[in-house]
Amino acid sequence: MTGSEEPPSFRLAYVPGVTPSKWVRIWNERLPDVPLTLSTVSAAEAPDVLRGRGADAGFVRLPIDRTDLSAIPLYTETTVVVVPKDHLVASVEEVSADELADEIVLHPLDDTLDWERPPGLPAFERPATTEDAVELVAAGVGLLVVPQSLARLYHRKDLTYRTVTGVPESRVALSWPEAEITPDLVEEFIGIVRGRTVNSTRGRTPTPPKPKEKRADKSGAPRKPAAGKTGGKPAKAGGKSARGGSGAPKSAAKRGKPRRRP
């Protein structure tokens, strides 16, 4: 490497609600010589950040404009409604979208759910962000329907959330700039996210197996052959079979009862 070349690094972007810590930990274990830097971007900004090469890869929320981008869907989140703890909805485990028809439901400008029509009654004004909408829920202005991870991210002690059925769900995907050949570091991170092992043929070069070592005794020294034994079959006594013949010593004969003298 020449002095003008920069050391390799990997830039990972992620949208609010996604927790990349597990994959970052595995990256640091497998590639300790390649630093990984994280940056948080809004769901709306994420595609343009990747197209502009502001990050090598990123966790995004689908649907997105896939122009010049590749993406692998990873998981789908449960959708919940955020309500004050003393609200009637807090007394049940889940509600349907129809049961929110008479409620004011806030619809922030950075909403990530793919609605045809949001449930409930519209608020007088749309909040700028999901975080702003959570504050309005706490103030008693209305309710908020979001992916569960965002409800956890902006959690308040005076609020809770419940599962909502019959509404869109948020899908999280790993995305990166489309190219004829995927860069090695991006391919490495794809392997980590997909759960490939370190010795996978599509990951890094497999580690060769270690040669087997000779078994050692308790003292740690290699075992020696027992006395009188060789690597082959035991030698036959006297050059003949031990089942009989001159090879068997006379002392080996059976002893009977002593004879009486006449």
Side-chain angles (χ1 to χ4, degrees), residues 178-199:
E178 195 172 56
E180 292 184 6
I181 300 177
T182 304
D184 290 342
L185 292 180
V186 174
E187 185 65 46
E188 187 73 38
F189 193 77
I190 293 170
I192 289 173
V193 171
R194 282 185 158 177
R196 295 180 197 148
T197 63
V198 68
N199 288 331

Side-chain angles (χ1 to χ4, degrees), residues 232-250:
K233 295 182 179 180
K236 296 179 181 179
K240 294 186 178 181
S241 171
R243 298 180 61 184
S246 59
K250 293 181 179 181

Side-chain angles (χ1 to χ4, degrees), residues 130-167:
T130 298
E131 188 173 8
D132 292 340
V134 170
E135 296 296 323
L136 293 175
V137 174
V141 174
L143 310 184
L144 175 65
V145 178
V146 290
Q148 183 171 324
S149 65
L150 292 180
R152 289 174 175 171
L153 178 64
Y154 301 120
H155 173 70
R156 290 174 50 114
K157 292 182 179 180
D158 53 348
L159 301 180
T160 187
Y161 57 85
R162 294 292 184 266
T163 301
V164 184
T165 60
V167 294

Side-chain angles (χ1 to χ4, degrees), residues 67-78:
T67 304
D68 300 326
L69 294 177
S70 298
I72 301 173
L74 299 178
Y75 59 89
T76 300
E77 283 196 67
T78 299

Side-chain angles (χ1 to χ4, degrees), residues 30-76:
R30 295 187 185 180
L31 294 92
D33 54 335
V34 181
L36 186 152
T37 57
L38 291 169
S39 60
T40 307
V41 296
S42 70
E45 295 171 339
D48 288 336
V49 169
L50 294 173
R51 289 191 195 95
R53 300 303 193 270
D56 298 300
F59 292 106
V60 302
R61 291 188 183 276
L62 301 178
I64 60 170
D65 179 2
R66 295 281 292 271
T67 304
D68 300 326
L69 294 177
S70 298
I72 301 173
L74 299 178
Y75 59 89
T76 300

